[in-house]
């Protein structure tokens, strides 16, 4: 059994150590300093790079403000995310083959295990981008086929993570009251991504029972993820109020709370959009109303949390070391862009369009900053061989 705490005491597993070298713990083998041995420290958290890059493309594709070149630029970003996904998938397989003990240790590490939610979300993010943007390049039939594969694999892995990671947390670790952090949401958010991206596939399913079944499966995953996320966010809120901020290296994980908030608004709106093609008029009208009754209050809370996240990040800015948790600035923020866009399409209210554009500007800034720091870390080798 492992006790995990964010307190800065030296007799516990602190988040400071976890932030500086998230794959290292008493369960894991420390990485070799050999400069050519990059695969040794590769973990599931690296798939956040694909998530953060893919959400930039997907949010740009539906942004209320349109200008020349936006779709072309979004398509280039989607292609980059797809390439990153292929490279990381191959590298991760090689990592498992070459360093099986380290790879298995990630699943036992109380911090790193949370990021097993990243690979399925990366798959579905690229899949959605393939349908929305890639169809211009490879054609709609091929885009639908690719999205089906990525969505299906991502959904299966996401449901497995949503069940297996909490089970491991319950049965293999003891967590102190101040151990909760935003990463606890990573395993339970993938089913919400399945719901949001699955809605895009519903028009491409034969009408009748197949389409209705897909819609209800997406609604079930929406509820699964939403209720689990609400319970987890409550614990994170309590942790922050009672114990203050986590260690500087983990401050960026505060932004992860935006993920289920923005994605749930997006999912509710997108499912309401396709409901008339799968359900009778009464039920589809009910989902349309639900998209607003649920979406607007959740959107309001997301903006509150965004304000808090910006404030605490500014507060800790001088002490925050760069690490892979900084990608938490991107995907969660991107879901707030898509959530605002969906609300705009349902209401026509300019406040949602203006917010979507403003948040997209912030997303681009965050993505550029984090991508640049990541490239620098790769070039110097600090991300592959973090200091012990």
């Amino acid at each position: 059994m492992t006790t995990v705490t964010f307190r800065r005491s030296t007799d516990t597993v602190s988040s400071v150590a976890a932030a500086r070298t998230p794959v290292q713990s008493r369960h894991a083998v420390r990485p070799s300093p050999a400069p050519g041995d990059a695969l040794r420290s590769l973990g599931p958290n690296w798939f956040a790079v694909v998530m953060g890059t893919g959400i930039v493309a997907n949010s740009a594709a539906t942004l209320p403000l349109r200008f020349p070149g936006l779709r072309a630029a979004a398509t280039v970003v989607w292609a980059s995310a797809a390439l990153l996904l292929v490279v990381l998938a191959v590298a991760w397989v090689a990592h498992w083959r070459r360093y099986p003990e380290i790879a298995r240790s990630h699943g036992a590490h109380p911090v790193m295990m949370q990021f097993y939610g990243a690979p399925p979300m990366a798959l579905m993010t690229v899949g959605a981008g393939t349908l929305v943007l890639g169809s211009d390049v490879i054609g709609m039939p091929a885009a639908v086929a690719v999205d089906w594969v990525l969505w299906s694999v991502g959904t299966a892995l996401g449901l497995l993570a949503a069940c297996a990671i909490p089970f491991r947390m319950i049965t293999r670790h003891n967590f102190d009251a101040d151990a909760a952090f935003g990463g606890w949401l990573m395993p339970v958010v993938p089913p919400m991504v399945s719901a949001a991206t699955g809605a895009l596939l519903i028009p491409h399913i034969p009408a009748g029972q197949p389409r209705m079944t897909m819609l209800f499966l997406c609604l079930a995953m929406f509820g699964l993820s939403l209720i689990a996320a609400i319970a987890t966010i409550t614990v994170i809120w309590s942790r922050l109020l009672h114990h203050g901020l986590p260690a500087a290296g983990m401050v960026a994980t505060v932004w992860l709370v935006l993920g289920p908030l923005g994605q749930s608004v997006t999912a509710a709106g997108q499912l309401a959009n396709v409901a008339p093609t799968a359900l009778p008029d009464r039920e589809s009208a009910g989902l349309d109303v639900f998209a607003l009754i649920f979406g607007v209050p959740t959107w309001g809370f997301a903006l509150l949390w965004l304000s808090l996240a910006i404030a605490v990040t500014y507060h800790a800015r001088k002490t925050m070391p760069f690490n892979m948790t900084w990608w938490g600035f991107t995907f969660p923020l991107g879901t707030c862009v898509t959530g605002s866009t969906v609300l705009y399409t349902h209401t026509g209210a300019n406040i949602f369009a203006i917010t979507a554009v403003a948040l997209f500007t912030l997303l681009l800034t965050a993505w550029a900053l984090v991508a640049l720091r990541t490239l620098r870390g790769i070039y110097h080798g600090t991300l592959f061989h973090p200091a012990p």
Side-chain angles (χ1 to χ4, degrees), residues 36-118:
D37 203 8
L39 287 179
R40 177 180 288 271
S41 298
L42 185 69
N45 57 335
W46 274 84
F47 284 88
V49 178
V50 179
M51 294 167 56
T53 303
I55 199 67
V56 171
N58 294 354
S59 57
T62 57
L63 200 67
L65 177 65
R66 314 304 301 169
F67 54 87
L70 178 62
R71 187 172 180 85
T75 303
V76 171
V77 176
W78 158 76
S80 300
L83 179 61
L84 283 170
L85 177 62
V86 173
V87 170
L88 281 175
V90 172
W92 204 29
V93 170
H95 168 77
W96 271 91
R97 291 176 60 87
R98 189 170 181 181
Y99 305 107
E101 292 185 6
I102 296 177
R104 284 192 295 268
S105 75
H106 293 164
H109 192 287
V111 173
M112 184 59 76
M113 66 161 54
Q114 310 300 333
F115 294 95
Y116 270 95

Side-chain angles (χ1 to χ4, degrees), residues 12 40 92 127 129 132 165 174-175 182 251 266 273 277 280 325 343 375:
T12 58
R40 177 180 288 271
W92 204 29
V132 174
I165 300 305
N174 287 330
F175 293 92
V251 169
T266 304
N273 287 341
T277 69
T325 66
L343 288 176
L375 290 174

Side-chain angles (χ1 to χ4, degrees), residues 1-2 27 107-108 113 167-175:
M1 303 288 279
T2 302
H27 301 290
M113 66 161 54
F167 175 76
R168 279 181 169 253
M169 293 173 68
I170 293 168
T171 60
R172 299 197 179 189
H173 301 285
N174 287 330
F175 293 92

